[in-house]
Amino acid sequence: MVGGNASSVTDFILVGLFPEFQHSIVLNFVVIFIYILAFLGNLLLIVLIWGDSRLHTPMYILLSQLSLIDLTLTSTIVPKTASNFFTGKRTISWIGCGTQSFFFLMLGMSECLILTLMAYDRYVAVCIPLRYPTIMSPRFCLHMVAGCWIGGSISSFIHTVYPMHFPICGSREIHHFFCEVPVLIKLSCEDTSVYQLVVVVTSIVLLVVPFSLIIASYTLIFLTVLRVNSVKGRKKALATCSSHLTVVSLFFGPNIFIYMTFTSSHSPEQDQALSLFSNILTPMLNPLIYSLRNKEVVAALMKLVGRCGVS
């Protein structure tokens, strides 16, 4: 019995956010508040980009996809976490756990690829601007976005189905606030060292390689910007690039630590803290990082506010 309700033998038990924390109710309200801000902020950014024809460019199309991913990612995690906490029912079904894990991985992998493409877009715009309209055509941009979603879905499906079939001999208690592959592996009574190596290799492909490409892109961008004579043009390029680099750092840092080090070396508190930062706090910060330092987005917001005022 959990929270007064019978649970199936195949159900998992989510212990929730820092269960031993004395002020857990305050923490959960803070997380819900951050989720609401993240949801509204990313939704507003999507509306601004698709509602203003001046923002129908590859850079902003990719930014709208990033906002869509962040919006969906937080919605995959927080509502279930909040529901479990306030109802006292901490269980999640086997299918529900697999579904949550699939969408979390798919969105995370897609975001990794989207961030890489955003860096490539900035590289083409700054380093070879004359070829930008040809290289970053609307058709190519659409294919890139579709490739990110498809690639993320395929990889996520593999890394969800396989670990979900590991036998669990003891407790089905997940020391986390949502279903995540590194945490699920800890529950298995089989030797999962081979699969953990597979996770590390996959992380190299999906985290280290894209991160290296992003760093290489920005190295070339900075070298090009330093040769620009116009101070205004230099500042504009650096402002756009610094916003993206901030988001890249917030995303790749925690995820590289989580997925590229063996799960046995992580404490539940470390996993929860990094996941809370990377998957809930960062999606709230992303719209602020891009909008506050982007004149085009601010102009689109003022235009929207003006329309609402006239109405």
Side-chain angles (χ1 to χ4, degrees):
M1 299 287 287
V2 179
N5 296 312
S7 61
S8 167
V9 293
T10 60
D11 287 351
F12 294 97
I13 300 172
L14 295 168
V15 300
L17 270 170
F18 303 105
E20 297 181 359
F21 184 61
Q22 293 182 350
H23 306 288
S24 58
I25 189 168
V26 176
L27 178 61
N28 278 272
F29 271 116
V30 169
V31 169
I32 292 172
F33 180 68
I34 292 174
Y35 164 68
I36 294 172
L37 292 180
F39 188 94
L40 294 177
N42 284 288
L43 181 62
L44 176 61
L45 197 54
I46 293 171
V47 170
L48 290 176
I49 291 172
W50 290 103
D52 194 323
S53 58
R54 293 173 298 178
L55 301 182
H56 293 175
T57 61
M59 182 180 79
Y60 291 109
I61 290 173
L62 292 173
L63 179 55
S64 71
Q65 294 299 304
L66 178 65
S67 290
L68 178 61
I69 289 171
D70 284 341
L71 183 153
T72 312
L73 180 64
T74 53
S75 298
T76 301
I77 299 171
V78 178
K80 177 62 178 174
T81 302
S83 174
N84 282 6
F85 178 78
F86 289 109
T87 62
K89 183 181 178 182
R90 310 259 172 160
T91 58
I92 183 170
S93 66
W94 185 85
I95 294 177
C97 186
T99 302
Q100 190 178 59
S101 179
F102 169 78
F103 279 105
F104 170 76
L105 284 174
M106 178 192 71
L107 294 164
M109 293 174 184
S110 299
E111 180 165 351
C112 177
L113 297 174
I114 287 288
L115 289 172
T116 307
L117 291 176
M118 291 175 75
Y120 176 70
D121 172 78
R122 291 299 84 205
Y123 161 75
V124 176
V126 175
C127 298
I128 42 178
L130 296 179
R131 296 182 57 192
Y132 183 82
T134 304
I135 297 175
M136 299 300 295
S137 64
R139 183 177 180 182
F140 178 67
C141 188
L142 181 62
H143 288 167
M144 287 194 305
V145 170
C148 290
W149 286 99
I150 294 172
S153 299
I154 294 173
S155 182
S156 174
F157 180 79
I158 295 170
H159 282 284
T160 299
V161 172
Y162 189 75
M164 288 296 292
H165 283 85
F166 283 141
I168 299 173
C169 306
S171 171
R172 302 182 73 86
E173 188 175 79
I174 298 175
H175 292 274
H176 214 315
F177 56 96
F178 68 98
C179 289
E180 191 179 16
V181 169
V183 183
L184 289 173
I185 291 174
K186 292 182 180 180
L187 300 179
S188 176
C189 54
E190 276 191 358
D191 180 13
T192 60
S193 57
V194 174
Y195 179 70
Q196 289 187 44
L197 286 173
V198 172
V199 171
V200 172
V201 172
T202 304
S203 300
I204 292 173
V205 175
L206 292 173
L207 287 173
V208 177
V209 172
F211 184 68
S212 301
L213 292 173
I214 291 172
I215 296 301
S217 297
Y218 278 106
T219 300
L220 295 173
I221 288 172
F222 288 135
L223 291 175
T224 302
V225 168
L226 290 175
R227 295 195 295 266
V228 174
N229 294 324
S230 170
V231 177
K232 183 178 179 181
R234 187 183 303 173
K235 287 183 177 180
K236 182 178 180 180
L238 290 176
T240 304
C241 296
S242 62
S243 298
H244 185 238
L245 275 176
T246 304
V247 173
V248 166
S249 301
L250 293 173
F251 174 81
F252 280 94
N255 283 292
I256 286 176
F257 177 81
I258 292 173
Y259 289 97
M260 291 202 62
T261 56
F262 290 104
T263 57
S264 58
S265 64
H266 302 173
S267 68
E269 290 75 20
Q270 284 179 320
D271 286 329
Q272 290 201 32
L274 288 170
S275 293
L276 190 65
F277 177 82
S278 177
N279 303 312
I280 298 177
L281 184 61
T282 299
M284 182 200 71
L285 296 175
N286 286 351
L288 295 175
I289 293 170
Y290 277 109
S291 61
L292 292 178
R293 303 192 65 180
N294 192 303
K295 293 182 179 179
E296 287 83 1
V297 174
V298 173
L301 178 59
M302 293 299 100
K303 184 178 177 181
L304 179 63
V305 171
R307 286 177 179 176
C308 294
V310 171
S311 301

